[in-house]
Amino acid sequence: MTETPQQFRERLSQAAVAWQVRLSSGDVSDATRAEFDHWRQQSAAHEQAYQEAVQLWQQLSGPLQADRQRRLALAASQQHRRQTRNRTLGLAVAASMVLLVLAVLFPDYLRHPLADYRTHIGEQTSIQLADGSVIHLNTDTAVNVSLSDQERRIELLDGEAEFEVAHDRTRPFRVSAGHTTTEALGTRFIVRYDGSGGNVTLLQGKIRTAAPSTTATLSAGQQIAFHADDLGTVQTADVNSAEAWRHGRLLMNFVPLKQAIAEINRYRRGQIRLLDDKLGEKEVNIAVDIQHIDAWLEALERTMGVKLLYFKIL
């Protein structure tokens, strides 16, 4: 059956959106890039379809994404009622497909899209600030940075980060996570936050952590948990485990298997599910290479006789 011009344009629109999703995954090989370049250069129509997909993608990344999507869906519905199938309808359908893909497979792409710095699931990166301090971002982490003459303030929106603080007596270095703020001068510490609570681990130096209702001072090798407006009690930290991710490892000692699986799930898109609740309570010690998590899972199945239901998205 011969393809109509309208069908051809709709096919290009959906292919362009699919390419944009693929190119934004963070794992694009040279072969994939070459394949995309070949597709894009086939005609002016291919190039135009891709530029429209890029523009649409940028619109969907903003804070008004949901409202824009509702307007796109309304426009598509009106066009359908008028029986005018044009390129806008094709893009609206493609946009719906993109949102579905993002929400199910790439939820991190929809979280904190306007953050100053962020990583996606499985990514890690380091940022050197103008004052000489360094922030190391772990998987699925977002931060905002504000440096002024009075203070250096970092807002940890979500995730986990290690901070190497450059000494500056005139400008305190403060990291906020929810209602908790940690202040340090010339020190190294880790803050982890999931939107409701988290913990602070001090690796070197001294820090002061404050919540609306209480304050605590930590020395090297100590950790404190926080939730909402409260701080927990200061505890001795397992420093090696706390900073293992900085060296590409996950280390956990004498923890329930379900806790170990939950930690591993932070680093991969396909979520692992335990089939046996009792087994989830069994204590384990783990040492996992973050880049080879699936190999550890295979070894776990062999050594413990467990059944793990997991799937790989990327």
Side-chain angles (χ1 to χ4, degrees):
M1 181 177 179
T2 303
E3 186 177 46
T4 67
Q6 181 60 39
Q7 289 172 332
F8 173 73
R9 288 193 295 269
E10 290 178 1
R11 179 169 61 82
L12 284 189
S13 294
Q14 295 190 17
V17 169
W19 271 116
Q20 182 63 11
V21 171
R22 191 175 180 184
L23 293 173
S24 300
S25 68
D27 184 17
V28 181
S29 66
D30 291 341
T32 298
R33 175 65 63 176
E35 183 182 357
F36 164 70
D37 289 340
H38 174 73
W39 177 88
R40 184 176 177 181
Q41 294 167 8
Q42 289 183 49
S43 70
H46 284 73
E47 174 64 21
Q48 182 179 353
Y50 178 66
Q51 293 302 327
E52 290 173 346
V54 170
Q55 183 178 8
L56 179 64
W57 185 274
Q58 293 171 344
Q59 291 174 341
L60 293 174
S61 297
L64 299 180
Q65 172 186 317
D67 181 63
R68 287 176 178 146
Q69 176 58 18
R70 284 194 294 271
R71 293 200 300 270
L72 281 172
L74 177 60
S77 176
Q78 291 171 341
Q79 289 167 346
H80 178 71
R81 286 195 298 268
R82 293 195 301 265
Q83 297 298 310
T84 56
R85 299 187 57 182
N86 53 28
R87 184 174 303 171
T88 303
L89 176 58
L91 281 174
V93 173
S96 299
M97 293 171 60
V98 169
L99 286 178
L100 179 61
V101 169
L102 289 176
V104 176
L105 305 185
F106 305 95
D108 47 318
Y109 279 73
L110 303 181
R111 289 195 291 269
H112 309 296
L114 301 181
D116 291 338
Y117 302 98
R118 59 193 294 236
T119 56
H120 296 301
I121 293 173
E123 293 180 345
Q124 295 177 343
T125 192
S126 297
I127 303 149
Q128 181 159 6
L129 305 182
D131 72 324
S133 299
V134 180
I135 306 176
H136 304 283
L137 303 183
N138 198 3
T139 176
D140 197 12
T141 298
V143 299
N144 284 332
V145 176
S146 176
L147 303 181
S148 69
D149 294 336
Q150 290 73 43
E151 70 169 352
R152 298 165 289 173
R153 179 169 288 275
I154 314 299
E155 181 184 9
L156 178 61
L157 301 170
D158 202 11
E160 183 174 24
E162 179 180 318
F163 302 90
E164 296 183 24
V165 184
H167 186 67
D168 186 341
R169 289 183 179 275
T170 64
R171 293 191 299 166
F173 189 100
R174 299 184 174 107
V175 177
S176 63
H179 298 298
T180 299
T181 299
T182 297
E183 181 175 329
L185 285 172
T187 191
R188 189 163 65 92
F189 61 100
I190 296 172
V191 181
R192 178 166 170 172
Y193 180 57
D194 65 5
S196 61
N199 58 62
V200 181
T201 305
L202 181 59
L203 306 176
Q204 294 177 0
K206 204 167 190 178
I207 57 176
R208 175 178 175 271
T209 298
S213 60
T214 185
T215 300
T217 300
L218 274 67
S219 299
Q222 293 184 326
Q223 181 181 82
I224 192 167
F226 60 87
H227 182 76
D229 297 338
D230 298 321
L231 296 179
T233 58
V234 176
Q235 305 283 340
T236 299
D238 184 343
V239 173
N240 289 334
S241 296
E243 65 172 346
W245 61 270
R246 287 275 290 109
H247 309 288
R249 305 274 288 173
L250 293 180
L251 300 178
M252 303 183 77
N253 296 314
F254 301 106
V255 299
L257 179 59
K258 64 181 181 181
Q259 182 179 337
I261 293 300
E263 184 68 13
I264 286 171
N265 276 338
R266 296 175 61 214
Y267 294 84
R268 65 195 313 277
R269 295 192 183 281
Q271 295 293 287
I272 307 161
R273 304 290 183 184
L274 278 171
L275 300 176
D276 187 335
D277 291 338
K278 277 189 177 181
L279 189 62
E281 300 298 332
K282 182 178 177 61
E283 284 194 347
V284 296
N285 299 314
I286 71 168
V288 183
D289 185 331
I290 292 174
Q291 298 302 318
H292 298 92
I293 290 176
D294 286 357
W296 179 83
L297 290 170
E298 293 171 1
L300 184 69
E301 289 182 303
R302 292 194 303 269
T303 58
M304 294 187 63
V306 301
K307 293 182 180 180
L308 292 175
L309 176 62
Y310 64 95
F311 57 95
K312 194 172 183 178
I313 300 298
L314 293 175

